[in-house]
Amino acid sequence: MYLSIKEAMKKGSGSVAVRGWVYRVRGSNKMIFLVLRDSTDIIQCVIDKEKVTEEEWKAAEKLLIESSAEVEGTIHEDKRAPTGYEIKVSRMNVVHQAGVFPITKDQSTEFLLDKRHLWLRSRKLTSVMKIRSTVFGAIDEFFRERGFYEVAPPILTPNACEGKMTLFKVKYFDDVAYLTQSWQLYAEALIFSLEKIYCNSPCFRAERSKTSRHLAEFYMAEMEVAWAHLDDVVKYGEELVEFIVKKVLKGNEEELKLLGQDIEKLKKVKAPFPHITYTKALDILKKDGIEIEWGKDLRTIEEDKIMEHFDTPVIVTNYPKDIMAFYKPADPKDPKTALCFDMLAPYGYGELIGGSERDTNIEELKKALKKQGNKPENYDWYLDTRRYGSVPHSGFGLGVERVVSWLCNLDSIKDAIPFPRTMLRKTP
Ligand code: 4AD
Ligand code: MG
């Protein structure tokens, strides 16, 4: 029976059988040191010419990186081995002799993206994908524990949700459709039956930006709650992020270390986070010598500048109403601003969450739609949600790859998803 490399190391002594891919290989005419990798870890295997058949020795001598092999032998602790254990090989079977692997040391980022289907085998990306899996699990657990229903939004949609500028148009029989930018409009229809709902679904935006934070296809974990006001969903957002961080700290300490993440920094992430308004954010910037005219959106550089003052996420509320999506209502206490929030990440990882209360006033909604160049008739189905038993409600969307980038200490959001899609890349 094959054990995973981790299980074999846990066993620590006696005979074991493991299988995987060649991570490293070097040798002499008597001994070959093979480092084998599987999804769980790496282990050094020593092949002694005297202890294997001639056929096995010949096959071992030819092994190249990323060949697949099965190995049997006795395991023992060895402080000099890369992971502290070594297998003395008694039987080896090469399952597939690999060709010369195209990825060697010091390759450019673009080359690694071209060879992404192979580079995913690296320990770095393996660690990121494990953390990503924990994040997905944590999102489900968080919402389900709190009585939310999971729903599936459509990917093909007739309308924009977040502005027409970033829509992906697709041929839809003899018509056109758009890839969804956010499930929100559908969520708003679904709260009338389920009240508390969430989804974690792909979203698409034709963002003409080449930043380290934007993908054309990304996952957004969205939630919507009937009867909820802004404060209620801000609290859910803070608790969700704390919950995700805790799960990753518990389940992925090893991966965090491999990625060079500072675990102590993550331990400081405790809800509630500091709250500031957009207006206060401008004050902070002003003290730093950056003058932003009230009413202008915060750009990446400004968000980063603000976040230099914090080492946990921060909630920014009350952005100017005029620059916000059509569904965000004015705050009655300060009508120039909207009842909305963003959660910004520390250390330059940008906006993790965007959310708001939803306007329930049909006339205001129509006015805002028109102002942004949309035809209210196209949104008539959505406006029905305000015609039959309208209730206050609120929700948010969390950018999953933004969270993964932050937790994994990544230089680019492209490494937070297996096969990134950006303005300049749709392959492999
Ligand atoms: O702030 P956004 O645009 O909000 C919405 O779409 C709302 N309709 C969500 C809701 O209330 N249900 O997007 C939400 C989050 C952002 O905070 C960001 O983390 C992420 O989605 N995001 C992106 N992530 C990667 N690449 C992009 N191009 C992204 N655009 C948004
Ligand atoms: Mg936003």
Side-chain angles (χ1 to χ4, degrees):
M1 197 193 56
Y2 290 97
L3 297 181
S4 72
I5 290 175
K6 239 202 181 78
E7 287 165 342
M9 292 197 290
K10 205 163 167 204
K11 189 174 174 209
S13 64
S15 61
V16 292
V18 298
R19 56 188 162 189
W21 294 264
V22 175
Y23 183 68
R24 249 192 325 252
V25 60
R26 70 187 162 84
S28 65
N29 51 8
K30 288 200 182 83
M31 293 268 225
I32 291 173
F33 291 89
L34 179 75
V35 178
L36 209 63
R37 146 187 98 66
D38 72 2
S39 64
T40 66
D41 215 326
I42 58 173
I43 190 163
Q44 177 165 294
C45 308
V46 200
I47 305 161
D48 182 339
K49 194 175 178 180
E50 307 289 305
K51 305 274 165 61
V52 293
T53 65
E54 201 182 322
E55 214 177 306
E56 285 173 324
W57 177 255
K58 276 196 181 135
E61 274 189 312
K62 281 197 295 192
L63 276 178
L64 292 178
I65 287 190
E66 290 305 320
S67 299
S68 43
E70 300 166 334
V71 154
E72 236 176 271
T74 51
I75 190 164
H76 64 98
E77 250 188 290
D78 184 336
K79 294 265 173 303
R80 295 161 305 173
T83 43
Y85 286 88
E86 185 181 78
I87 297 174
K88 287 199 188 307
V89 177
S90 55
R91 185 189 73 87
M92 188 193 67
N93 175 39
V94 177
V95 177
H96 181 252
Q97 167 67 31
V100 176
F101 201 60
I103 302 177
T104 51
K105 263 198 172 145
D106 305 320
Q107 301 280 5
S108 73
T109 312
E110 280 312 303
F111 180 81
L112 293 177
L113 281 164
D114 288 341
K115 297 284 179 218
R116 184 64 162 207
H117 49 294
L118 301 176
W119 183 232
L120 282 166
R121 302 179 188 194
S122 64
R123 295 192 88 202
K124 174 182 171 181
L125 288 187
T126 304
S127 299
V128 175
M129 295 311 143
K130 286 181 185 175
I131 291 176
R132 183 181 165 97
S133 172
T134 303
V135 172
F136 271 71
I139 290 166
D140 278 330
E141 201 179 325
F142 178 86
F143 284 119
R144 284 169 181 269
E145 268 181 2
R146 285 159 185 77
F148 281 68
Y149 294 99
E150 181 172 8
V151 300
I155 300 293
L156 292 164
T157 65
N159 310 97
C161 176
E162 297 297 325
K164 291 191 298 191
M165 296 300 287
T166 61
L167 280 175
F168 273 111
K169 204 176 189 179
V170 293
K171 191 171 175 310
Y172 192 77
F173 303 100
D174 297 327
D175 195 0
V176 293
Y178 305 100
L179 297 181
T180 187
Q181 296 167 307
S182 157
W183 81 324
Q184 187 192 315
L185 305 185
Y186 298 94
E188 290 187 56
L190 276 156
I191 52 131
F192 292 87
S193 55
L194 297 171
E195 296 193 34
K196 288 160 75 174
I197 54 177
Y198 82 99
C199 75
N200 190 359
S201 162
C203 289
F204 304 86
R205 296 199 191 171
E207 311 247 23
R208 296 202 166 269
S209 62
K210 293 172 221 160
T211 73
S212 58
R213 295 176 192 176
H214 289 92
L215 293 165
E217 176 178 321
F218 61 98
Y219 276 72
M220 208 199 292
E222 299 192 71
M223 59 87 85
E224 195 75 26
V225 187
W227 316 104
H229 292 281
L230 185 64
D231 292 350
D232 303 313
V233 287
V234 168
K235 192 156 177 274
Y236 274 120
E238 294 174 306
E239 286 172 1
L240 171 62
V241 169
E242 179 184 310
F243 188 85
I244 293 171
V245 171
K246 269 205 189 122
K247 287 279 165 185
V248 169
L249 281 170
K250 187 156 173 254
N252 300 99
E253 197 173 327
E254 201 180 303
E255 286 78 26
L256 291 171
K257 281 186 183 150
L258 195 140
L259 292 163
Q261 178 59 283
D262 181 344
I263 286 171
E264 293 310 311
K265 271 191 196 166
L266 289 184
K267 285 188 182 158
K268 286 193 213 149
V269 178
K270 291 239 155 60
F273 305 140
H275 288 207
I276 57 174
T277 60
Y278 162 87
T279 307
K280 167 86 183 148
L282 295 197
D283 285 346
I284 295 177
L285 289 170
K286 197 168 178 181
K287 281 191 194 121
D288 288 344
I290 302 168
E291 195 94 35
I292 304 289
E293 193 188 327
W294 199 98
K296 284 237 155 73
D297 207 357
L298 299 176
R299 293 170 305 169
T300 307
I301 40 165
E302 284 118 26
E303 285 177 355
D304 289 354
K305 201 77 199 156
I306 295 163
M307 291 312 292
E308 281 174 13
H309 297 269
F310 302 94
D311 56 9
T312 71
V314 170
I315 304 292
V316 184
T317 62
N318 293 85
Y319 284 81
K321 160 83 180 147
D322 281 351
I323 53 167
M324 290 289 106
F326 73 93
Y327 53 75
K328 299 186 189 180
D331 184 345
K333 288 197 212 114
D334 183 10
K336 300 193 303 313
T337 71
L339 282 170
C340 66
F341 80 104
D342 277 359
M343 183 191 291
L344 304 182
Y347 317 118
Y349 286 95
E351 185 191 318
L352 299 178
I353 294 185
S356 77
E357 211 158 306
R358 316 306 191 188
D359 207 333
T360 49
N361 181 319
I362 293 193
E363 291 318 310
E364 287 296 325
L365 284 167
K366 284 185 180 168
K367 211 165 82 189
L369 277 167
K370 274 191 210 147
K371 206 165 163 184
Q372 294 175 8
N374 296 297
K375 290 194 185 119
E377 312 80 275
N378 292 347
Y379 291 78
D380 203 54
W381 69 271
Y382 171 73
L383 297 176
D384 266 355
T385 59
R386 274 50 169 182
R387 292 185 180 115
Y388 308 103
S390 181
V391 291
H393 59 288
S394 306
F396 67 70
L398 168 142
V400 176
E401 288 77 15
R402 296 274 176 92
V403 170
V404 171
S405 285
W406 163 49
L407 297 180
C408 294
N409 199 30
L410 299 178
D411 292 334
S412 166
I413 196 166
K414 290 193 210 100
D415 283 344
I417 190 164
F419 295 98
R421 268 78 183 100
T422 64
M423 186 170 105
L424 302 173
R425 180 174 290 279
K426 60 178 183 334
T427 53

